[in-house]
Amino acid sequence: MAKHTGRGIAAIEYPTGMNQNGDPSQCWIKVKPDGRIDVFAGTADIGNGSKTIQSQIVAETIGVPYDWITYDNSNTDSSPVCTGTFASRATFVAGKAAEKAALQVKQKILEIAGKEMEIDPADLEIVDGEVIAKGAPQTKLGVGDVAAAATWGHGELITGTGAQLKPYAAIIDPETGEVDLPPHSAISYASCAAEVEVDDETGEVRVTRLQQCYDVGRALNPSHVEGQIEGGAMMGLGLGILENCYPYYPSVEHRGGAFGSYLAPGMEDMPQIDTIMIENPSADGPYGAKGIGEMANNPQPPAIAAAVYDAVGVWVTELPITPERVLRALEAKAEPTREGKKVVFDEELSVNAVSSGGMRFEVPA
Amino acid sequence: MKVVGARIPRYDGVAHVTGRTTYVDDVSVPGTLWAKALRSPHHHAGITKLDTSKAESMPGVHAVITWKDVPLLEYGHLSALGIPADEPLLAKDEVRYLGQPIALVAAESEALASAAVDAIEVGFEERPALFDIRQAFDSESPKIHQWGNWYPHFEGEMDVRQIRKGDIDRAFEEADTIVQGVYRPAAIEHAPIETQVCQVVPEPNGRLTIYSCTQALYFSLGVVAAHLQQPLNRFKLVGGTTGGGFGGKVDTATETMTCLLVMKANKPVKWRWTREEEFLCSSTRAPWHMELATAVTKDGWILGQKMLTLHDSGAYSRFSPYGLTKHSFHHTGAYSIPNLHFDGYVVYTNRTPTTAMRGFGVTSVSFAVETHMNRIANELGLDPIEIRLKNANRIGDTSPNGIAYTDPSTVETIQAIAQAIGHELPADYRTMTNEPRTGELLPEHLVSQVGSTEGH
Amino acid sequence: MNLTVNGVAHEVSGSELAPLLDVLREELGSMGAKAGCHQGGCGSCTVLVDGEPRRSCLLPAGYADGTQITTVEGLGAPEDLMPIQQAFVHYYAAQCGFCTSGMMLAAQAYLDRGGTDDPEAIQHALAGHVCRCTGYSKIIDAVAATARGDSFDLTTTAVGKHTTMANGGPE
Amino acid sequence: MAVASVASDAATEILMPGSEDEAIAAFGDGTEVVVVGGGTIVVPDMTYRRLRPAKALMLGNAGLSGIETDGSRVTIGAMTPVQALVDLKAPLGPCASNVADLEIRSQGTVGGNLCAGEGYEAPRGDLQGAFLALGATARSAAEGDVTEEPLEDFLAKRRERLLLSVSFDEPAAGAFAGLDRPHTHDYTALAVSGARAHDGTLRLAATGAGSWGARLPSAEAAAGDPAAAGEAALQDVTPHDDALASAWYRTKVLPVLVRRVLAELKESA
């Protein structure tokens, strides 16, 4: 038995929000007579933390404690439009709508507090649930008192609405792909180093360590961001060495219909995962956030492929890197075809290998 | 800044750990019927017979629906953008993948619903099925749809997504080395622990309350309303709490059909997919086929890249055209490549339709471009970290569609990983930043691609 | 069949071969155990049967006759969380939450049999439980901290074990 | 298609014997009887309507559980949970601990594992190889007649008889080598068990190289030369394709596992 270790790296980029934009999210907020805040949005929480993150944004923006917030994304009667939780957009796009709605609420609280306190609202701020005169912190009025005054005294409902929509970036030249506007919101970046152990007799690959660095824009809740990155790392590990709907691809035979035959990563597949977060704020996300939920499973597969090459000297370019693929590659010991300045790998996989008509991949030389 | 940036516990954390979070399957409405689907047993076949009368007459069976019951049979995932649809909600005269729904039954128990499905009489005429995307791509292969095997509705009714930038021929001519490779990541199951599920309850005022695990309440609301040709407020989607999604629960896979059953039975109906249905019939991440040829200089500059991408959409296009477009916009990865020639096709096969999944369109790029980059470094005998830093996106460099990057952090993230693994970098690489290219980092071939970041 | 669920006795008729999961959810309205696969493959339906963790989708209800069954609702209520529940909150060990009840019950059983904070032992004990969201590491941290007898501040969450915040982040 | 429903079938007659004798009587000649050990195989097969038995014989209260040692002779009741074996010596202990995860091992039984029908997607019967390598005997009943015979003979007719217990002599040395399988909700793709008896007899057996466990007599005969034994093992089995591994891969790796088992046996000698 011979086990070999190897390390490989990869660096990636990924856009936040829907490609080409044009995807609205909206939010509305009302304030109860005791100052507690009800947030309504249509952003599903699929584990991605919509409820938590948008509540944090609203609490921070208005200036009240987090536990004053109730967040209701439960139905389409009470919530305004949200395109949905996908495309790494829930924090960035829907969170921005929540921030905008909260700013309106804050402004209304300050206006009514100004009347109550007989101070210009511009000279007031909200800190930890209290409206405070700037420079004279002993002059203050609780947000609950302001909300009560609005309800019973001024006959007003304190509300705020926010809508976030970046215009759709159209492709104006389908020949070249030229667009009329930037087609992305923010772009985030990451790199990854993977360490593996490869058994050259059975072809088994174990990922032993993943070191990863993500530019998260701003970690609105670092524990949450870690969870996204760690969860993504395991999904990336699955993509790299385990998961495949069609084990005999392109054949559809023996497709697994159970967790016993479809290999989703389990706890014992876990490598050590080290995370470095860089905060390089986005220009227009809420508090500088970027969306990193999706990209979190992108850098591992190529880093693992390079680590396998480092360990046993073969490139496996069909995922996942199964024991069988490693053994077949070790057996074939394929070298690229070298002709002139061309170095051609994987000829047997190319469309050219099966083409009967004119559909070939031609490369100028 | 006390709340933002703080490690606040999850809003739903206590509910999760006490079993109080209510998922769709936990909603218990008395008298709810169970739904079950008749699914295609063939990868590709004509439907020669469909007779539901025996199933309908079984005691305890309250509704059976087929394509005839759907007001607008075809409404696509991208129809809201004005793009023609290609997938019927229920198969009409042809099935194009194994597991495609043909009819649904609502009955008083799950076992009875299954028995009623078995009682539906259906006949098929098998047709050849295509699974190898390279063969499906070939213009001489049998056709899966009448218009062929290529998705035909990109801008200008083109059947290919193109990117063209710079002068690709010159780049390959001037290259010292051209490295070619083929990259094929697999189809992946989203496998959230909660399977596809919905429950629809008829309200006394004629509205339908739809308990849904959708990732996108309003998107799904629009899809249901369009198929059923009803105003949006006929329906109340209740959800927002989803047991994992990863892209697969944007599909609105259950809601519309369950509404149709409810409208027929006038009773609440639940449709919960089994894990086996989830694995075998729900959409997957696509298998991709990517061919790359990269023109490089011996000191590691990337002059140009030619790429062919085939995106396996399975039997119907769903979100695949969106995914391929996103793929094309990001097909250079984290690097500035001045000369590009990209052709991408959404190709139909007789696989389960593929859809969005975490990293949609770009997970494939990351694998192809990064593995290729490691091969290039290896071929040239260069350090894989240094070659990346050299070609990394910087402020003012332009994307494949000519948009200037405003604040990329490729350089910084790579430097951080180099440091973490103890990889010693030469001083000029260690001190690099993302500032606009000058001097040695702005060779002649990169000058023309630099754009303006103003107004972005 | 006599099933005592979270201390409440129930008399249940029906097939002894029906999965306990279906009896709990559909006959007794106890929704804590989740139906993730009905194949024994995911662990989200795990309950304690006389204190032992069992996949309720695999266990014939007849085999639970006369036993004490604990579902997630039988751990602490929201105002009276058990240490393992507090740990899952403090360590941010749940995301979508669908695997959480099964995961916690398996963890509680591990702790009840004297399990330590050794990560490998925890991984081995919970190995058959699939979580698609978290990547497991925060779950292991939560179980380990509970095994150590830590107390948990529920107003905040723990700093990730292997995290570095670069360029002036909040930590 | 085979995507069936999650539904229990009320039509099945349930038999729950309270002793071994009652179990033997209830089993009768086995016609239309599906035997339920822990339920880990039968229950999901019924849920997915792959199995709709007329009668189900549930053995949970029939006794039949426990490990007894009489000198060097070990007897394991059919209803003993797989988990009870994990601390036994190789090959049985490591083989048992490689089965599924703790919860399933604690519910699934030795008898259920040994008598499992072919899996519809992957091989079942992970323990078969280990018991075959130990030269185990099976005590079983049908039509009231109780007999004990070599496990191999029993396995060939396991649908017609009710397994009561398995017995074997503690080996002088044992070894187990399986494919690394960290995601435990997964069957063994391929494993080899080996044991040397006190009289020097060497037995090797494989699980996962074919539909159920198989002795590797050609490999045993060539055991003096591990490389040759590994290749010889391929004459004894017909590897298959399934969701976990291809026949090609199993053919490549079976010799490796045989060599590893022989090396481990040599070390422990």
Side-chain angles (χ1 to χ4, degrees):
Chain A
M1 147 168 25
K3 291 203 174 172
H4 306 267
T5 58
R7 180 160 66 202
I9 65 146
I12 63 157
E13 56 89 57
Y14 194 78
T16 295
M18 275 185 78
N19 194 49
Q20 297 178 269
N21 297 315
D23 52 330
S25 276
Q26 303 167 354
C27 175
W28 75 278
I29 299 175
K30 69 183 174 70
V31 181
K32 286 210 172 82
D34 66 352
R36 289 338 192 238
I37 313 286
D38 298 325
V39 182
F40 297 86
T43 321
D45 196 323
I46 62 173
N48 65 306
S50 309
K51 297 174 186 179
T52 313
I53 301 301
Q54 290 182 35
S55 296
Q56 284 182 251
I57 289 169
V58 170
E60 179 76 36
T61 304
I62 299 176
V64 298
Y66 172 74
D67 60 9
W68 283 24
I69 312 293
T70 60
Y71 180 84
D72 186 344
N73 64 349
S74 67
N75 69 83
T76 50
D77 279 7
S78 62
S79 74
V81 168
C82 177
T83 305
T85 302
F86 52 85
S88 299
R89 63 183 301 290
T91 293
F92 191 93
V93 185
K96 192 70 188 177
E99 186 190 355
K100 287 178 173 178
L103 278 171
Q104 280 194 3
V105 167
K106 180 183 180 183
Q107 196 50 42
K108 280 200 185 167
I109 291 171
L110 291 176
E111 278 168 22
I112 290 170
K115 289 179 193 167
E116 291 291 303
M117 298 164 79
E118 297 181 343
I119 299 174
D120 183 342
D123 295 328
L124 296 171
E125 60 185 341
I126 308 176
V127 178
D128 216 11
E130 289 181 320
V131 182
I132 294 173
K134 287 178 188 166
Q138 70 284 0
T139 306
K140 60 189 180 186
L141 184 64
V143 168
D145 296 326
V146 178
T151 310
W152 315 117
H154 300 269
E156 286 198 38
L157 169 62
I158 301 176
T159 65
T161 63
Q164 175 68 5
L165 174 66
K166 283 201 177 178
Y168 183 74
I171 293 173
I172 50 176
D173 183 351
E175 297 288 334
T176 63
E178 192 190 338
V179 288
D180 59 353
L181 290 167
H184 46 259
S185 289
I187 299 184
S188 192
Y189 300 82
S191 54
C192 171
E195 291 176 22
V196 300
E197 187 181 88
V198 184
D199 183 324
D200 68 5
E201 289 184 312
T202 65
E204 291 164 293
V205 177
R206 289 218 59 146
V207 179
T208 52
R209 192 173 184 189
L210 292 170
Q211 289 163 283
Q212 315 183 101
C213 175
Y214 283 82
D215 167 14
V216 305
R218 181 76 204 274
L220 303 191
N221 184 333
S223 294
H224 187 81
V225 183
E226 284 162 12
Q228 290 291 308
I229 290 173
E230 290 163 4
M234 283 306 276
M235 215 169 239
L237 184 149
L239 289 167
I241 64 171
L242 295 171
E243 298 182 47
N244 191 355
C245 293
Y246 304 102
Y248 295 83
Y249 183 82
S251 162
V252 294
E253 293 300 309
H254 300 292
R255 187 174 178 188
F259 279 111
S261 43
Y262 180 88
L263 307 184
M267 221 177 252
E268 291 186 302
D269 294 303
M270 266 185 68
Q272 181 178 326
I273 299 172
D274 305 85
T275 305
I276 303 164
M277 286 189 218
I278 288 179
E279 293 193 310
N280 178 27
S282 65
D284 48 8
Y287 296 94
K290 295 179 180 176
I292 57 93
E294 285 184 278
M295 69 188 299
N297 73 3
N298 286 1
Q300 302 84 12
I304 292 167
V308 169
Y309 178 81
D310 188 38
V312 291
V314 294
W315 291 110
V316 179
T317 62
E318 289 189 282
L319 294 179
I321 303 171
T322 59
E324 172 161 347
R325 283 178 171 151
V326 173
L327 278 195
R328 283 187 187 272
L330 283 169
E331 204 156 275
K333 286 198 172 62
E335 283 293 319
T337 308
R338 296 170 197 278
E339 194 187 324
K341 61 185 181 182
K342 274 193 183 179
V343 183
V344 184
F345 289 91
D346 315 319
E347 277 171 293
E348 73 288 356
L349 295 176
S350 168
V351 292
N352 299 353
V354 301
S355 176
S356 64
M359 302 317 300
R360 296 177 60 84
F361 181 59
E362 304 288 359
V363 176
Chain B
M1 301 280 270
K2 288 188 304 188
V3 186
V4 158
R7 291 181 179 268
I8 302 280
R10 279 192 76 91
Y11 185 89
D12 45 13
V14 170
H16 281 351
V17 302
T18 54
R20 264 68 165 180
T21 300
T22 302
Y23 302 90
V24 175
D25 193 33
D26 302 334
V27 174
S28 181
V29 180
T32 295
L33 306 174
W34 284 91
K36 285 286 167 194
L38 170 68
R39 296 180 178 279
S40 168
H42 301 295
H43 296 288
H44 192 191
I47 299 175
T48 55
K49 178 188 181 185
L50 181 58
D51 182 350
T52 59
S53 53
K54 276 187 191 153
E56 281 165 45
S57 64
M58 287 169 68
V61 172
H62 290 256
V64 180
I65 57 160
T66 67
W67 65 272
K68 290 179 191 156
D69 298 290
V70 191
L72 178 63
L73 189 59
E74 292 190 350
Y75 183 79
H77 289 43
L78 300 172
S79 288
L81 297 172
I83 293 170
D86 58 18
E87 181 174 13
L89 186 69
L90 288 159
K92 186 178 174 188
D93 41 26
E94 190 168 11
V95 284
R96 295 186 176 86
Y97 70 95
L98 184 103
Q100 184 170 357
I102 299 166
L104 256 82
V105 168
E108 286 169 14
S109 74
E110 226 176 339
L112 186 58
S114 296
V117 165
D118 293 344
I120 296 173
E121 292 172 27
V122 58
F124 299 99
E125 176 190 87
E126 276 198 74
R127 294 177 184 166
L130 284 173
F131 303 114
D132 188 328
I133 192 167
R134 298 168 302 179
Q135 282 165 352
F137 176 58
D138 200 313
S139 47
E140 293 177 13
S141 286
K143 288 179 171 49
I144 292 167
H145 289 278
Q146 68 204 30
W147 57 88
N149 296 340
W150 301 357
Y151 173 81
H153 300 303
F154 291 112
E155 280 78 0
E157 291 303 289
M158 286 173 70
D159 51 18
V160 56
R161 167 62 71 219
Q162 289 185 181
I163 299 285
R164 301 287 187 267
K165 187 180 181 185
D167 183 343
I168 194 73
D169 289 333
R170 188 177 155 201
F172 277 77
E173 203 179 294
E174 291 179 354
D176 296 319
T177 302
I178 295 165
V179 180
Q180 271 181 250
V182 184
Y183 304 92
R184 290 156 61 96
I188 297 294
E189 182 50 53
H190 302 81
I193 310 302
E194 176 198 55
T195 60
Q196 294 278 8
V197 57
C198 85
Q199 188 165 179
V200 178
V201 179
E203 303 295 347
N205 59 8
R207 298 182 78 201
L208 299 180
T209 300
I210 306 170
Y211 296 91
S212 164
C213 67
T214 180
Q215 292 177 231
L217 288 160
Y218 268 86
F219 175 80
S220 293
L221 176 65
V223 170
V224 172
H227 272 301
L228 303 183
Q229 298 285 287
Q230 298 281 328
L232 294 179
N233 63 0
R234 174 83 193 274
F235 311 98
K236 177 180 180 180
L237 250 84
V238 178
T241 298
T242 301
F246 312 106
K249 286 178 182 159
V250 190
D251 266 6
T252 318
T254 56
E255 291 83 351
T256 315
M257 288 179 256
T258 310
C259 282
L260 282 165
L261 288 169
V262 170
M263 289 158 80
K264 230 174 186 182
N266 198 30
K267 282 175 179 295
V269 178
K270 178 193 241 179
W271 191 16
R272 181 181 75 198
W273 288 19
T274 66
R275 177 56 60 182
E276 212 168 274
E277 281 179 295
E278 186 75 27
F279 272 128
L280 301 181
C281 308
S282 79
S283 48
T284 71
R285 185 197 284 281
W288 295 71
H289 177 98
M290 295 166 282
E291 305 209 15
L292 275 172
T294 306
V296 292
T297 64
K298 59 181 182 299
D299 53 351
W301 286 109
I302 303 175
L303 302 180
Q305 179 171 290
K306 188 168 181 193
M307 185 169 191
L308 170 70
T309 291
L310 309 182
H311 175 286
D312 189 338
S313 78
Y316 300 101
S317 61
R318 296 195 181 172
F319 288 116
S320 294
Y322 167 87
L324 181 70
T325 299
K326 186 171 171 183
H327 174 95
S328 73
F329 286 14
H330 293 272
H331 81 280
T332 53
Y335 311 105
S336 296
I337 307 180
N339 304 295
L340 297 171
H341 181 287
F342 172 92
D343 288 335
Y345 298 82
V346 167
V347 180
Y348 297 103
T349 62
N350 291 106
R351 242 171 250 294
T352 315
T354 65
T355 198
M357 188 174 178
R358 194 177 204 167
F360 194 26
V362 185
T363 308
S364 50
V365 164
S366 298
F367 176 62
V369 166
E370 287 304 291
T371 308
H372 202 62
M373 197 66 159
N374 284 321
R375 277 176 156 176
I376 290 168
N378 208 51
E379 280 300 314
L380 299 177
L382 298 175
D383 180 285
I385 293 180
E386 289 172 28
I387 191 175
R388 282 178 165 83
L389 285 169
K390 196 167 183 169
N391 291 284
N393 291 333
R394 285 157 203 286
I395 294 170
D397 285 351
T398 52
S399 74
N401 5 44
I403 302 293
Y405 296 109
T406 52
D407 195 12
S409 36
T410 313
V411 169
E412 205 175 349
T413 55
I414 294 173
Q415 286 166 334
I417 280 302
Q419 191 184 0
I421 64 176
H423 184 100
E424 223 26 76
L425 286 172
D428 48 342
Y429 286 92
R430 207 167 52 236
T431 56
M432 266 181 191
T433 68
N434 68 353
E435 286 301 307
R437 294 182 179 280
T438 53
E440 283 183 12
L441 288 171
L442 186 58
E444 181 268 330
H445 73 274
L446 282 176
V447 172
S448 62
Q449 63 90 39
V450 172
S452 165
T453 58
E454 275 174 41
H456 292 162
Chain C
M1 292 173 278
N2 293 300
L3 307 180
T4 303
V5 181
N6 302 324
V8 179
H10 301 271
E11 203 167 306
V12 179
S13 60
S15 172
E16 290 89 344
L17 207 40
L20 176 63
L21 174 64
D22 292 354
V23 174
L24 288 172
R25 292 185 60 86
E26 275 146 45
E27 298 194 29
L28 303 179
S30 173
M31 297 299 186
K34 303 302 179 196
C37 71
H38 271 99
Q39 298 167 328
C42 73
S44 64
C45 69
T46 292
V47 300
L48 303 183
V49 178
D50 284 341
E52 297 290 330
R54 289 289 181 272
R55 298 279 214 283
S56 66
C57 76
L58 297 181
L59 189 69
Y63 285 175
D65 186 14
T67 64
Q68 300 277 338
I69 295 158
T70 307
T71 70
V72 66
E73 295 100 323
L75 297 176
E79 59 284 357
D80 187 26
L81 299 179
M82 286 176 69
I84 188 67
Q85 294 169 298
Q86 295 180 28
F88 266 61
V89 172
H90 182 69
Y91 278 89
Y92 221 100
Q95 286 185 27
C96 87
F98 207 80
C99 73
T100 305
S101 47
M103 194 75 80
M104 276 194 314
L105 287 160
Q108 185 60 43
Y110 168 78
L111 297 167
D112 288 344
R113 39 176 204 273
T116 68
D117 65 350
D118 171 27
E120 274 188 34
I122 297 167
Q123 280 169 283
H124 191 62
L126 303 182
H129 287 253
V130 181
C131 172
R132 199 68 165 152
C133 296
T134 64
Y136 303 109
S137 101
K138 290 178 183 297
I139 294 173
I140 294 167
D141 290 349
V143 179
T146 314
R148 284 193 301 270
D150 289 3
S151 55
F152 305 105
D153 176 358
L154 297 187
T155 65
T156 185
T157 56
V159 178
K161 200 158 56 181
H162 299 292
T163 302
T164 315
M165 298 290 295
N167 69 348
E171 278 130 15
Chain D
M1 63 177 300
V3 176
S5 71
V6 171
S8 54
D9 221 315
T12 304
E13 182 191 347
I14 305 291
L15 309 168
M16 282 191 88
S19 68
E20 181 178 300
D21 288 346
E22 283 180 30
I24 293 168
F27 181 78
D29 64 1
T31 307
E32 295 198 319
V33 175
V34 166
V35 179
V36 183
T40 57
I41 291 171
V42 172
V43 170
D45 273 1
M46 287 183 68
T47 301
Y48 282 87
R49 292 164 68 90
R50 274 185 267 278
L51 189 63
R52 301 168 78 173
K55 289 185 205 168
L57 177 60
M58 296 177 67
L59 295 175
N61 301 332
L64 300 178
S65 175
I67 302 175
E68 282 173 28
T69 306
D70 181 5
S72 65
R73 188 79 179 158
V74 181
T75 298
I76 300 174
M79 281 296 288
T80 307
V82 176
Q83 176 65 15
L85 312 186
V86 299
D87 292 328
L88 299 180
K89 284 184 209 146
L92 204 46
C95 178
S97 63
N98 200 41
V99 174
D101 78 334
L102 175 75
E103 288 159 40
I104 293 174
R105 283 195 299 274
S106 302
Q107 187 185 330
T109 61
V110 171
N113 192 290
L114 285 175
C115 297
E118 291 173 44
Y120 71 100
E121 288 188 335
R124 286 169 172 163
D126 311 55
L127 297 176
Q128 290 165 353
F131 278 110
L132 289 172
L134 289 165
T137 57
R139 195 172 139 264
S140 68
E143 297 183 76
D145 162 57
V146 177
T147 58
E148 182 151 4
E149 62 195 323
L151 181 64
E152 280 153 293
D153 298 344
F154 167 78
L155 286 179
K157 53 192 174 195
R158 63 193 194 275
R159 288 174 219 278
E160 296 134 49
R161 300 190 66 83
L162 176 66
L163 183 68
L164 302 170
S165 64
V166 280
S167 302
F168 59 90
D169 289 321
E170 285 263 26
F176 174 81
L179 288 173
D180 192 11
R181 196 179 45 97
H183 20 275
T184 58
H185 37 270
D186 183 351
Y187 292 96
T188 306
L190 187 66
V192 173
S193 292
R196 184 181 296 106
H198 285 283
D199 67 2
T201 311
L202 174 80
R203 291 189 186 84
L204 296 170
T207 314
S211 300
W212 59 75
R215 276 280 292 278
L216 303 172
S218 308
E220 290 166 6
D225 176 353
E231 294 306 318
L234 295 170
Q235 297 162 27
D236 300 326
V237 292
T238 311
H240 63 290
D241 285 342
D242 64 24
L244 300 182
S246 70
W248 181 92
Y249 180 70
R250 289 179 158 106
T251 301
K252 287 289 162 191
V253 174
L254 181 64
V256 176
L257 298 184
V258 168
R259 287 202 305 271
R260 289 180 184 179
V261 162
L262 288 173
E264 198 180 323
L265 281 174
K266 193 173 175 187
E267 259 173 48
S268 60

